[in-house]
């Protein structure tokens, strides 16, 4: 039994001593039955948040309106949510009404897929009213209840179905697939940020290849940012799994140059960090076509080298990221600070020239020549090399 699950039983124990009932629910039950690592353990309980605060004096009320508190226990955090049902999703985002209920079965009925709608108690009994275990064995993602209704209630579930299928390597149940196809257009009601989370997880899943194809077949992609303006982009399927938007964007931009990194960042409303990383990776992919590898790696932060290798492999170039790292480590210099030559050395060589952008341009050439081993990192050698250049043009 997974340690996180065993530890969670201590919380359940305390709730039971208070007179409540509680179960481990959702992903933790699914993943432990599959024998894969359990990351987060969610608990559902009959106690209200107010009652939870009495049992655990130090809870953090993270989503009190939805009945969720965060309990810290033995250096782990657990989300504990009161059994609840949801009614109406007029804005396609939040349920209009959350009603606390007394039984776990009612709570499980509001969950998205049968494999996510199981509960585990302290005696290791599994409450499985919708056949989640059978679907796990059959490798199927199937909506709880009437698929059409469930996607209509919350269209984000369309993306969630695809991402679970990709992560777990499962098929989509026939009715679930049909309901997705019929209602994919409802995705335009969902905020881009929430779509991005699920799309990214789908692409990181092991069966991303199959799911991108299925997405096309079910015409889901035409309601997603970027793809809606360039539906054919979905045809470009990475040859290896890519990790996150920072790798996906340079990959797709390389295939379809009509879309830039900035188009992706704006349309999918991505963070500045993703923007920075994608721009750097795209520029490295471009430089790789005509510059020596040492020069490309010199310009790239070390923590992006792995991703650079992944993008090239996804494009079918068959490179070895470990080799790239070794090349990087072996570079004579790793930054301009390590260069044995400074801006004022340039003035010594060209005393008649005024300050200007040429200084940066010259230093750029010098550092790349040193980094690629074209010239040694010695002041005298660098000076000799520069003297062969013409004088910079300044106004
Ligand atoms: P992961 O390992 O990716 O976190 P998870 O199953 O824990 O997988 P979460 O998004 O953390 O997924 O959601 C926790 C649980 O809450 C799900 O297992 C499911 O039972 C329920 N759930 C989450 N989102 C929805 C939704 N949009 N509609 C219905 N139930 C949902
Ligand atoms: Mg989770």
């Amino acid at each position: 039994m997974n340690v996180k699950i065993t530890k969670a039983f201590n919380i359940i124990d305390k709730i039971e001593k208070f007179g409540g009932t509680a179960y481990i629910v959702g992903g933790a039950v699914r993943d432990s039955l599959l024998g894969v690592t359990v990351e987060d353990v969610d608990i559902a309980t009959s106690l209200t948040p107010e009652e939870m605060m009495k049992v655990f004096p130090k809870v953090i009320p993270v989503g009190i309106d939805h009945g969720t508190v965060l309990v810290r226990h033995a250096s782990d955090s657990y989300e504990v949510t009161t059994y609840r049902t949801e009614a109406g999703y007029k804005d396609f985002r939040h349920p209009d009404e959350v009603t606390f209920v007394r039984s776990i079965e009612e709570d499980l009925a509001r969950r998205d897929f049968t494999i996510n709608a199981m509960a585990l108690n302290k005696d290791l009994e599994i409450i499985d009213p919708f056949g989640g275990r059978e679907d796990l064995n059959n490798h199927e993602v199937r909506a709880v209840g009437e698929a059409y209704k469930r996607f209509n209630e919350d269209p984000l579930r369309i993306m969630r179905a695809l991402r679970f299928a990709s992560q777990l390597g499962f098929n989509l149940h026939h009715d679930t697939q049909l309901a997705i196809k019929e209602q994919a257009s409802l995705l335009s009601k969902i905020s881009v940020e929430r779509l991005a989370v699920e799309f990214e997880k789908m692409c990181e899943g092991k069966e991303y290849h199959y799911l991108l194809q299925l997405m096309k077949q079910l015409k889901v992609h035409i309601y997603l940012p970027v793809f809606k303006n360039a539906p054919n982009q979905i045809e470009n399927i990475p040859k290896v799994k890519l990790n996150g938007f920072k790798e996906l964007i340079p990959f797709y931009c390389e295939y379809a140059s009509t879309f830039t990194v900035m188009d992706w960042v704006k349309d999918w409303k991505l963070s500045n960090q993703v923007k920075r990383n994608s721009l750097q990776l795209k520029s490295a992919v471009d430089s790789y076509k005509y510059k020596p590898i040492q020069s490309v790696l010199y310009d790239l932060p070390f923590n992006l080298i792995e991703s650079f290798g992944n993008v090239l492999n996804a494009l079918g170039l068959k490179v070895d990221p470990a080799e790239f790292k070794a090349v990087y480590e072996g570079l004579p210099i790793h930054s301009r600070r390590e260069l044995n030559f400074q801006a004022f050395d340039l003035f010594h060589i060209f005393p008649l020239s005024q300050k200007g952008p040429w200084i940066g341009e010259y230093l750029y050439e010098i550092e790349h020549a040193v980094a690629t081993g074209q010239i040694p990192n010695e002041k005298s050698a660098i000076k000799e090399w520069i003297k062969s250049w013409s004088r910079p043009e300044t106004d």
Side-chain angles (χ1 to χ4, degrees), residues 340-353:
N340 285 326
F341 191 88
Q342 319 284 320
F344 62 76
D345 294 313
L346 278 176
F347 292 118
H348 280 292
I349 305 173
F350 302 112
L352 298 177
S353 300

Side-chain angles (χ1 to χ4, degrees), residues 26-27 30 42 110-112 116 154 157 160 163-164:
R30 179 196 69 222
D42 295 328
R110 72 159 166 100
R111 294 175 183 270
D112 46 9
N116 289 347
D154 177 5
R157 292 175 186 149
R160 287 176 59 83
R163 78 106 152 152
F164 282 116

Side-chain angles (χ1 to χ4, degrees), residues 76-315:
D76 276 315
S77 298
Y78 298 85
E79 272 194 11
V80 185
T81 306
T82 309
Y83 302 150
R84 60 170 213 228
T85 56
E86 295 165 358
Y89 278 80
K90 282 202 209 73
D91 64 355
F92 291 104
R93 217 165 291 144
H94 306 293
D96 303 330
E97 204 183 355
V98 169
T99 314
F100 294 153
V101 292
R102 268 345 229 187
S103 82
I104 181 70
E105 284 80 4
E106 284 174 88
D107 180 274
L108 294 176
R110 72 159 166 100
R111 294 175 183 270
D112 46 9
F113 307 109
T114 61
I115 54 169
N116 289 347
M118 292 182 274
L120 174 73
N121 70 12
K122 245 175 48 199
D123 302 324
L124 302 184
E125 284 164 348
I126 291 171
I127 319 291
D128 178 17
F130 307 104
R133 250 175 312 186
E134 197 185 329
D135 287 333
L136 271 186
N137 289 336
N138 293 336
H139 288 191
E140 242 172 5
V141 174
R142 183 161 64 95
V144 167
E146 217 185 296
Y148 189 91
K149 213 171 113 203
R150 303 314 307 285
F151 291 123
N152 194 275
E153 258 173 17
D154 177 5
L156 182 69
R157 292 175 186 149
I158 293 174
M159 290 302 287
R160 287 176 59 83
L162 299 167
R163 78 106 152 152
F164 282 116
S166 176
Q167 287 177 324
L168 303 170
F170 282 16
N171 294 312
L172 290 184
H173 184 269
H174 177 262
D175 295 348
T176 299
Q177 245 185 71
L178 207 65
I180 290 178
K181 194 170 180 185
E182 284 171 4
Q183 298 179 96
S185 67
L186 292 179
L187 281 174
S188 46
K189 312 262 183 207
I190 301 288
S191 81
V192 169
E193 291 87 343
R194 297 176 79 210
L195 295 175
V197 170
E198 302 296 337
F199 179 71
E200 193 167 25
K201 285 186 181 173
M202 184 192 101
C203 292
E204 288 172 2
K206 58 180 172 190
E207 291 298 329
Y208 69 92
H209 199 269
Y210 164 65
L211 266 301
L212 281 166
Q213 272 164 346
L214 188 62
M215 199 176 225
K216 178 185 158 208
Q217 204 181 311
L218 300 178
K219 296 204 169 54
V220 169
H221 65 296
I222 58 174
Y223 301 102
L224 296 182
V226 177
F227 294 102
K228 77 172 103 172
N229 297 320
N232 291 341
Q233 285 232 44
I234 203 84
E235 314 272 350
N236 306 321
I237 295 184
K239 294 201 169 46
V240 298
K241 188 169 83 179
L242 289 173
N243 303 301
F245 275 104
K246 72 167 188 284
E247 295 181 14
L248 277 170
I249 297 175
F251 167 80
Y252 275 109
C253 290
E254 193 55 25
Y255 261 115
S257 53
T258 36
F259 280 86
T260 64
V261 172
M262 288 313 292
D263 291 327
W264 274 79
V265 170
K266 272 193 210 129
D267 282 14
W268 280 96
K269 299 195 180 165
L270 301 171
S271 68
N272 278 332
Q273 192 182 351
V274 173
K275 176 173 96 179
R276 226 178 9 253
N277 289 338
S278 308
L279 283 169
Q280 277 174 318
L281 286 169
K282 174 71 173 81
S283 146
V285 171
D286 290 340
S287 309
Y288 185 69
K289 293 170 205 156
Y290 60 93
K291 279 189 184 174
I293 184 66
Q294 291 91 335
S295 180
V296 179
L297 295 176
Y298 175 78
D299 284 336
L300 206 57
F302 184 73
N303 64 359
L304 286 182
I305 292 183
E306 178 97 35
S307 288
F308 176 53
N310 291 344
V311 177
L312 293 180
N313 278 321
L315 291 164

